[in-house]
Amino acid sequence: FTGFTEMSRVYQLDGAGLAATKENIGKTEWGALRHSITPRLEFAYVPAPQSQDRLPYFDSLDRVTRQNKITYSVTNLLDRKRTSVVAGADPQGGNATVPVSSTDYLDFLSLRVEQSYDRDEAARHEDLGLYAKRPFSDIMTELAVRPEKYISLSSKTYYSPYLGRPTEHENSLALTKEKLGELRFGYDYLYPINEYTRKRTNDVQVLTLGADYPITDKLKVVSDYRYDIAGHSDLEKSAGLVWTDQCYELQLRYSRKPSDQNIELRFNLLDFGKP
């Protein structure tokens, strides 16, 4: 169950407005900013039936994981309105260029703060002598910056209210160019932790690299690589083909991990271009 609302306000920036003149060709100007705030409350409940114990177990995907959690968050979003003057073709068919004004919008900054309350952890009676109850999750703060459409930077920090320090950092950078594809870079850092629901004995540092290259308008090659810096070992290598057409997406991917290798064939229904 999810409930949310949105409040927003538009701020007009001081400026005379960028006129479509020859002197202004190549210039851009921000005309307005839209600030929106979205508080959200979610409740997730998933029972774990005992009947699944009789089924074969190969990995965690073979089991339905129980959830009984309340999550609350607040998202701030800034959207800018920009006016640009470019050189356009002469409507009379001549060789001269004429100034043309265009307007575009972009969500260039987003800030989200989120935390969860685990009702099962609050009601736990097992191993209380070893692990104290910690029903509140880490406070997650996510900052996403997108100064232009071809570049996006995201940073997540998880802060434990019980330990009084961060437990994890996630950083990613994506560069996108139409008809050339996308490059992705990521760096994650996880601190050691010893709790009832999660345990890490050592620092974990993960470097992620990825690239997509379009072969045609519908077919592209995708590849990803994850490397454990602290352990000096490969975590995963993958490559595949993705075919996208109208409302569906077909993926053929090969991945290799230290523990196994697999080939996946996936069919995804798309919602307005997003899986």
Side-chain angles (χ1 to χ4, degrees):
F1 299 91
T2 302
F4 67 93
T5 187
E6 182 181 3
M7 298 164 284
S8 65
R9 182 177 179 180
V10 176
Y11 299 88
Q12 299 295 333
L13 302 181
D14 294 335
L18 197 61
T21 63
K22 291 184 178 181
E23 293 77 12
N24 289 335
I25 291 178
K27 296 182 180 180
T28 61
E29 181 182 80
W30 287 24
L33 286 177
R34 180 178 182 269
H35 177 213
S36 64
I37 301 176
T38 306
R40 182 185 299 267
L41 181 65
E42 301 179 4
F43 173 63
Y45 178 73
V46 179
Q50 297 182 354
S51 59
Q52 64 180 333
D53 294 339
R54 61 182 175 80
L55 302 175
Y57 182 90
F58 295 98
D59 55 35
S60 60
L61 298 178
D62 293 326
R63 290 294 181 267
V64 176
T65 304
R66 177 179 170 85
Q67 292 188 51
N68 192 2
K69 188 179 297 183
I70 299 173
T71 302
Y72 37 90
S73 66
V74 176
T75 302
N76 286 267
L77 184 64
L78 287 177
D79 182 11
R80 62 110 173 104
K81 175 184 177 182
R82 183 177 64 179
T83 301
S84 304
V85 178
V86 297
D90 189 348
Q92 303 299 327
N95 296 326
T97 59
V98 295
V100 178
S101 177
S102 64
T103 302
D104 67 301
Y105 301 85
L106 181 66
D107 296 336
F108 69 94
L109 191 144
S110 173
L111 177 64
R112 179 166 64 101
V113 180
E114 180 180 286
Q115 189 183 36
S116 298
Y117 179 80
D118 192 332
R119 301 178 71 231
D120 285 345
E121 174 65 10
R124 176 172 59 88
H125 299 289
E126 296 83 5
D127 298 331
L128 292 180
L130 295 175
Y131 303 100
K133 294 181 180 180
R134 293 181 175 179
F136 288 97
S137 72
D138 293 350
I139 301 172
M140 190 278 291
T141 302
E142 180 184 20
L143 177 65
V145 181
R146 193 182 181 194
E148 295 291 345
K149 294 182 179 180
Y150 60 84
I151 182 173
S152 61
L153 175 65
S154 175
S155 178
K156 291 183 181 180
T157 298
Y158 296 81
Y159 182 87
S160 171
Y162 302 103
L163 301 176
R165 63 170 175 83
T167 61
E168 183 177 352
H169 298 284
E170 297 180 5
N171 304 282
S172 63
L173 173 66
L175 303 174
T176 306
K177 182 66 174 177
E178 187 178 0
K179 296 183 179 180
L180 290 180
E182 179 180 273
L183 293 176
R184 296 180 296 275
F185 308 89
Y187 175 76
D188 301 342
Y189 187 91
L190 289 76
Y191 294 84
I193 195 167
N194 184 21
E195 294 180 346
Y196 181 77
T197 56
R198 54 180 180 171
K199 299 175 179 64
R200 286 193 297 269
T201 57
N202 300 313
D203 292 351
V204 178
Q205 301 180 59
V206 178
L207 175 66
T208 302
L209 302 174
D212 298 348
Y213 178 75
I215 300 176
T216 66
D217 293 340
K218 298 181 179 180
L219 180 65
K220 65 179 179 180
V221 178
V222 297
S223 62
D224 290 284
Y225 173 67
R226 297 174 64 240
Y227 179 75
D228 182 0
I229 299 176
H232 304 286
S233 61
D234 296 337
L235 294 177
E236 184 179 9
K237 299 177 181 178
S238 66
L241 297 172
V242 177
W243 176 274
T244 305
D245 191 1
Q246 297 182 358
C247 63
Y248 71 90
E249 181 180 81
L250 189 64
Q251 298 184 10
L252 177 62
R253 181 183 291 263
Y254 167 79
S255 63
R256 181 174 182 177
K257 301 178 181 179
S259 58
D260 61 18
Q261 304 179 48
N262 64 75
I263 298 178
E264 297 180 353
L265 179 62
R266 294 186 179 185
F267 177 80
N268 296 327
L269 290 176
L270 304 180
D271 182 12
F272 299 104
K274 297 182 180 180

